[in-house]
Amino acid sequence: QRLVRYLSALNKRTVHTAHVPFLNFGPLGFPRPVYFSTIRDPFKRLSSHYDYEHFGPRPLYVRLVHQDTTIPSFEQCIEGHMINPNLKKKDYFDCLQTAGLQIRFYCGISDACRQTSISTLQTAIQNIEKNFAAVVVVEEMMLSFKVLEAVLPNLFKGLVRMYHKASGGGEGVHLRTNNAAKSSKGLVSQRHLNFIMKNPNLQLEYGLYNFTKARLHRQ
């Protein structure tokens, strides 16, 4: 409630960005803000998240003092789960730990949203339909920008033109934002990919991703 009150007190046309799960203002008696967010291919996001947590950019002192050189690569971590399907969570960030994370993000902050399930997937879809003006699909960047400009012209007028003016006709921007994982599926063998794509939470997350892509194309 404190966050809702804080955000509601901001001046109009304020853009607030943060890694915060969906927050429904309506039941708390406050005007609903305009939501727009992003979604990414679930496998690419999973791989990128793991690599960022363990091998991402960190201050030098953190790398020298805290870096654990025994952390397995993403593929090695998957192999561990293939060898032992009942592998218990280790004391470090696991490669399957955030499977389904985007569902929980769009589901919201209630206790029911803490687990990935068909129910939370349905809630996430309902929240997107009712509350989000647009959801940017990272793999559909140009179309996403066109939709943002169309549905929120007061904020994004000229966005497509600016994108085209960027280096590489805009593609340079797209590649820079995805450089680390633009070929993530090529970073693991087909055998490992087949295994991880059977993960129930990841399959549900693809349900949300595919729904959001279809919605973007309808807009």
Side-chain angles (χ1 to χ4, degrees):
Q1 290 188 5
R2 285 181 296 176
L3 179 58
V4 170
R5 286 196 295 269
Y6 164 75
L7 294 174
S8 298
L10 296 174
N11 294 328
K12 290 183 178 181
R13 291 177 58 82
T14 295
V15 177
H16 181 81
T17 62
H19 291 289
V20 179
F22 170 69
L23 185 59
N24 192 351
F25 282 50
L28 299 175
F30 289 86
R32 185 181 65 178
V34 175
Y35 276 104
F36 60 92
S37 188
T38 61
I39 196 167
R40 188 177 187 182
D41 176 275
F43 177 84
K44 289 182 179 180
R45 185 204 56 76
L46 192 69
S47 170
S48 178
H49 197 158
Y50 180 83
D51 288 343
Y52 177 80
E53 288 289 338
H54 293 303
F55 315 114
R58 297 289 189 276
L60 179 60
Y61 76 91
V62 174
R63 284 184 278 135
L64 292 176
V65 177
H66 299 291
Q67 190 170 33
D68 187 346
T69 58
T70 66
I71 297 296
S73 68
F74 185 68
E75 186 174 64
Q76 289 169 339
C77 181
I78 296 173
E79 181 72 24
H81 284 278
M82 294 175 69
I83 295 172
N84 181 10
N86 298 316
L87 189 67
K88 294 186 180 297
K89 183 180 175 182
K90 304 177 180 64
D91 57 357
Y92 61 80
F93 189 88
D94 186 71
C95 53
L96 298 183
Q97 186 169 328
T98 63
L101 179 65
Q102 293 179 116
I103 291 177
R104 301 194 292 274
F105 176 86
Y106 285 102
C107 180
I109 62 173
S110 70
D111 290 342
C113 293
R114 293 183 180 181
Q115 300 296 324
T116 301
S117 66
I118 293 177
S119 176
T120 53
L121 170 60
Q122 293 171 339
T123 300
I125 289 174
Q126 291 170 2
N127 286 339
I128 290 174
E129 282 278 50
K130 294 179 180 179
N131 299 283
F132 284 79
V135 176
V136 171
V137 177
V138 172
E139 291 73 29
E140 299 265 10
M141 193 69 76
M142 175 54 71
L143 177 59
S144 297
F145 286 173
K146 289 179 179 177
V147 170
L148 283 175
E149 188 168 359
V151 300
L152 297 172
N154 289 339
L155 289 176
F156 293 108
K157 183 179 180 180
L159 179 61
V160 173
R161 176 179 52 79
M162 293 173 63
Y163 184 78
H164 279 301
K165 286 181 63 177
S167 61
E171 288 304 311
V173 176
H174 187 105
L175 290 177
R176 283 198 298 276
T177 59
N178 294 283
N179 187 51
K182 64 179 181 293
S183 59
S184 296
K185 292 180 181 177
L187 299 180
V188 299
S189 70
Q190 190 62 45
R191 181 172 64 92
H192 291 92
L193 181 61
N194 290 343
F195 172 81
I196 200 169
M197 295 297 275
K198 294 177 182 177
N199 179 274
N201 287 349
L202 198 66
Q203 290 182 340
L204 288 172
E205 191 172 344
Y206 267 105
L208 180 69
Y209 177 75
N210 291 332
F211 161 79
T212 307
K213 281 183 66 175
R215 180 179 187 254
L216 183 73
H217 281 266
R218 291 197 304 270
Q219 288 180 295

